[in-house]
């Protein structure tokens, strides 16, 4: 086990004018650790994810990341070029809507290959072989490699987006409601796939979800957000089986039993 | 000799915020030790807090006060105050738990469910699966079920998958929540034998067994949980 965290977050806050997005969030994320951020719409979880992934600049606080050369960098002080390089290589971002994370008018193979080229792979045969391998890992048949994601179902698109993100061997992946909007059977397949890949690759991940079952299945640790604040945090099964805060108890008791 | 597991002055209440903040005291001043090679059974009627104690010892329930000391990696660690990452390490290496009900994951086969604790520890996947097969065979789970996800299995079949998963590693502390509740006599006997082997191998076991006969066969000591009943009502 690595002796150092990958990400350190301290006192992170984001205000939209006078309105609170999220406030005073602090935590550490370790290599191989999956953290779920749960809460209902408007709780600030997506704002937090966007700040962490540098899509938004926080109003105050800091987020430090341990780069591959072991140097700690404050994410909000990176140059635009450094930030983009990080996003293309060492990080992944899986959007709820696959269309936001894919290029819909280029082939599935190119969607995966493009990330490889971004990290300097120039050998066409290798890129194509890797793309085929990754499509297989996300259970997309090799004969769909030349098809555009426009012709894919929602579940397939989401699996393609995951392949595109993981092909460069990132150490940290952000996911925003990765199973939102999918049929339950499609969801189950995607969750199982994600669970397997995260474990196999030893990825660290931060997953925003309002679905506690998704958090239970994928995460080691969770943070519950309400009104922009983290109100409860801890080991996932502890928070779900012995919730302390009134709001967390409400969330847990609202799960429908099948 | 230090115990594999020492529980000291443990107390627990539930605060039900959705029911006007009603406070339900569960247990207080829970004190006992479990040594290597013995099986300690938590005794007492339903509702006395036996399962809650087991869940606290596994870190699944939080505690209000007290210590849960585990011998881990040459040191003594208090699981009650350990951070989530340390609890996960303790679960990987030192403390295992056979829950009463199996929590199934879609599409993951019974064999992989059983092999997983070994794979997490870095054991080669094919070797882990061989050991999983041996355990499932020993527990008389029909071979045709091994490659299927256990979600559709009967209660007794799921319980045997759960038992195999808990017994596959050499964790020093093993928690058992009614592992024989849904089993027939043949498989109960297998589990009793497996517990005896764990004891012989120096594992410290803490369990709940409602079945009188099984309890008599496995228990070295019974800890009466009613002694830890909270003195004051809410």
């Amino acid at each position: 086990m690595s002796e150092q965290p990958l990400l350190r977050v301290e006192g992170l806050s984001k205000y939209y004018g006078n309105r609170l997005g999220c406030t005073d969030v602090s935590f550490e994320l370790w290599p191989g650790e999956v953290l779920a951020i749960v809460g209902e719409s408007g709780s600030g979880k997506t704002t937090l994810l966007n700040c962490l992934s540098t899509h938004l600049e926080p109003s105050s606080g800091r987020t430090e990341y341990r780069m591959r050369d072991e140097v700690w960098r404050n994410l909000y002080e990176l140059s635009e070029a450094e930030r983009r390089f990080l996003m293309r290589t060492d990080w992944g971002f899986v959007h709820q809507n696959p269309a936001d994370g894919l290029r819909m008018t280029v082939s599935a193979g190119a969607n995966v290959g493009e990330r490889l080229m971004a990290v300097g792979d120039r050998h066409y045969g290798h890129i194509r072989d890797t793309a085929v391998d990754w499509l297989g890992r996300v259970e997309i048949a090799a004969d769909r490699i030349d098809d555009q994601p426009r012709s894919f179902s929602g579940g397939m698109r989401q699996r393609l987006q995951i392949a595109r993100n993981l092909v460069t061997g990132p150490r940290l992946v952000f996911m925003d409601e990765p199973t939102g909007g999918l049929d339950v059977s499609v969801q189950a397949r995607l969750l199982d796939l994600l669970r397997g890949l995260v474990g196999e690759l030893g990825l660290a991940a931060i997953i925003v979800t309002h679905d506690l079952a998704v958090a239970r299945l994928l995460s080691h640790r969770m943070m519950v957000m309400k009104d922009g604040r983290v109100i409860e945090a801890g080991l996932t099964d502890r928070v779900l089986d012995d919730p302390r805060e009134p709001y967390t108890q409400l969330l847990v008791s609202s799960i429908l039993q099948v | 000799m230090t115990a594999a597991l020492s529980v000291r002055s443990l107390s627990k209440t539930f605060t039900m915020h959705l029911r006007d903040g009603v406070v339900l005291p569960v247990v207080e001043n829970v004190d006992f030790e479990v040594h290597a090679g013995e099986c300690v059974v938590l005794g007492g009627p339903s509702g006395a807090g036996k399962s809650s104690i087991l869940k606290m010892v596994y870190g699944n329930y939080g505690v209000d006060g007290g210590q849960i000391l585990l011998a881990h990696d040459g040191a003594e660690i208090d699981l009650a105050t350990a951070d989530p990452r340390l609890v996960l390490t303790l679960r990987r290496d030192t403390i295992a738990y056979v829950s009463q009900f199996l929590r199934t994951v879609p599409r993951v086969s019974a064999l992989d469910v059983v092999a997983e604790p070994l794979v997490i520890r870095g054991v080669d996947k094919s070797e882990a699966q061989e050991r999983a097969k041996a355990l499932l065979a020993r527990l008389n789970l029909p071979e045709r079920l091994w490659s299927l996800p256990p979600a559709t299995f009967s209660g007794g079949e799921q319980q045997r998958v759960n038992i195999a998963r808990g017994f596959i590693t050499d964790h020093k502390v093993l928690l058992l929540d009614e592992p024989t509740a849904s089993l027939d006599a043949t498989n109960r006997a297998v589990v009793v034998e497996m517990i005896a082997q764990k004891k012989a191998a120096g594992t410290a076991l803490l369990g709940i067994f409602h079945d009188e006969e099984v309890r008599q066969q496995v228990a070295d000591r019974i800890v009466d949980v009613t002694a830890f009943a909270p003195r004051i009502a809410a």
Side-chain angles (χ1 to χ4, degrees):
Chain A
M1 188 174 281
S2 174
E3 291 305 309
Q4 275 206 76
L6 199 56
L7 191 75
R8 285 192 205 128
V9 182
E10 254 180 62
L12 204 69
S13 300
K14 174 69 183 175
Y15 290 84
Y16 300 98
N18 286 328
R19 202 162 54 77
L20 173 66
C22 63
T23 187
D24 200 23
V25 178
S26 301
F27 67 92
E28 286 181 343
L29 186 74
W30 293 73
E33 192 175 45
V34 180
L35 171 72
I37 304 173
V38 305
E40 56 197 22
S41 307
S43 61
K45 56 193 196 302
T46 298
T47 295
L48 174 60
L49 190 75
N50 285 332
C51 286
L52 297 172
S53 59
T54 70
H55 288 107
L56 273 178
E57 196 176 333
S59 309
S60 61
R62 50 196 286 131
T63 302
E64 292 181 309
Y65 182 70
R66 181 162 56 85
M67 309 292 268
R68 285 196 192 231
D69 60 7
E70 299 295 319
V71 175
W72 284 93
R73 298 290 304 274
N74 183 344
L75 290 178
Y76 311 115
E77 287 169 4
L78 295 178
S79 71
E80 183 60 19
E82 287 175 313
R83 196 179 72 85
R84 292 179 70 102
F85 185 71
L86 196 63
M87 304 270 305
R88 280 201 311 242
T89 58
D90 214 20
W91 286 5
F93 195 107
V94 176
H95 297 265
Q96 174 173 6
N97 180 358
D100 295 339
L102 290 172
R103 294 221 290 146
M104 298 302 280
T105 55
V106 305
S107 71
N111 263 288
V112 176
E114 194 177 50
R115 284 261 300 191
L116 279 178
M117 292 202 288
V119 295
D121 199 330
R122 290 286 177 269
H123 188 277
Y124 177 79
H126 177 255
I127 291 173
R128 193 169 169 95
D129 289 347
T130 308
V132 169
D133 176 49
W134 267 96
L135 291 179
R137 290 171 84 161
V138 298
E139 302 173 5
I140 295 174
D143 64 6
R144 302 299 300 270
I145 189 169
D146 295 318
D147 294 348
Q148 294 178 6
R150 282 192 302 186
S151 70
F152 286 5
S153 67
M156 273 176 86
R157 287 179 188 183
Q158 196 56 298
R159 283 181 272 130
L160 179 62
Q161 192 191 183
I162 287 163
R164 176 179 160 98
N165 273 283
L166 299 188
V167 68
T168 56
R171 293 189 299 163
L172 173 59
V173 179
F174 301 96
M175 301 188 205
D176 188 7
E177 303 276 7
T179 60
L182 298 174
D183 292 339
V184 277
S185 62
V186 177
Q187 245 189 49
R189 182 178 188 182
L190 191 75
L191 282 173
D192 171 43
L193 201 79
L194 274 176
R195 185 175 173 273
L197 288 171
V198 165
E200 224 171 89
L201 304 170
L203 290 177
I206 298 177
I207 300 176
V208 160
T209 180
H210 67 275
D211 186 335
L212 298 182
V214 170
R216 161 102 64 186
L217 202 62
L218 290 180
S219 71
H220 301 111
R221 206 149 59 86
M222 61 190 272
M223 302 199 302
V224 182
M225 290 191 73
K226 182 176 191 293
D227 301 332
R229 290 167 206 278
V230 175
I231 56 156
E232 185 159 2
L235 200 63
T236 296
D237 63 274
R238 209 284 292 151
V239 174
L240 292 176
D241 294 338
D242 185 16
R244 302 298 180 88
E245 291 295 319
Y247 178 70
T248 316
Q249 291 187 357
L250 179 66
L251 275 186
V252 171
S253 68
S254 306
I255 303 174
L256 297 174
Q257 301 282 328
V258 184
Chain B
M1 186 177 115
T2 54
L5 166 68
S6 316
V7 173
R8 305 230 187 279
S9 314
L10 206 60
S11 64
K12 172 75 180 167
T13 55
F14 286 115
T15 306
M16 317 294 275
H17 291 288
L18 304 181
R19 288 170 48 208
D20 301 324
V22 173
V23 177
L24 300 176
V26 184
V27 286
E28 64 181 29
N29 286 319
V30 181
D31 261 294
F32 63 87
E33 291 185 345
V34 187
H35 290 268
E38 69 171 346
C39 180
V40 171
V41 171
L42 297 175
S46 294
K50 301 186 296 294
S51 276
S52 291
I53 291 173
L54 224 48
K55 285 174 176 171
M56 285 188 272
V57 171
Y58 194 59
N60 178 230
Y61 281 1
V63 308
D64 296 345
Q67 292 178 304
I68 298 162
L69 302 172
L70 282 168
H72 168 79
D73 213 6
E76 192 168 63
I77 292 184
D78 183 7
L79 182 139
T81 53
D83 66 26
R85 198 162 152 264
L86 182 54
V87 174
L88 291 175
T89 305
L90 292 168
R91 289 180 182 179
R92 186 192 65 203
D93 297 335
T94 298
I95 186 163
Y97 173 48
V98 177
S99 59
Q100 215 173 340
F101 302 103
L102 180 67
R103 192 176 280 286
T104 59
V105 176
R107 301 209 314 166
V108 178
S109 73
L111 201 59
D112 285 337
V113 170
V114 175
E116 190 182 53
L118 286 177
V119 174
I120 290 173
R121 284 177 162 200
V123 173
D124 177 66
K125 191 167 179 191
S126 59
E127 191 199 323
Q129 288 199 337
E130 284 312 308
R131 286 166 63 182
K133 284 176 188 169
L135 268 173
L136 289 174
R138 185 169 179 195
L139 286 157
N140 303 305
L141 192 79
E143 198 172 335
R144 63 189 155 76
L145 297 181
W146 296 359
S147 59
L148 301 178
T152 55
F153 290 9
S154 73
E157 287 161 353
Q158 291 196 357
Q159 190 158 43
R160 279 175 279 159
V161 171
N162 227 4
I163 291 166
R165 179 183 162 93
F167 277 76
I168 197 166
T169 54
D170 59 355
H171 282 78
K172 291 289 179 219
V173 179
L174 181 55
L175 310 176
L176 306 169
D177 194 350
E178 294 214 53
T180 57
S182 327
L183 301 186
D184 59 26
T186 310
N187 286 311
R188 269 203 307 274
V190 174
V191 174
V192 168
E193 194 182 282
M194 285 168 64
I195 290 172
Q197 282 177 354
K198 282 284 180 200
K199 286 203 269 185
T203 305
L205 294 105
L206 175 66
I208 300 170
F209 297 89
H210 279 299
D211 185 314
E212 187 78 29
E213 197 188 319
V214 173
R215 189 165 54 204
Q216 280 180 359
Q217 286 172 298
V218 301
D220 294 297
R221 255 178 329 120
I222 293 181
V223 170
D224 180 8
V225 170
T226 56
F228 310 132
R231 281 156 307 181
I232 30 135

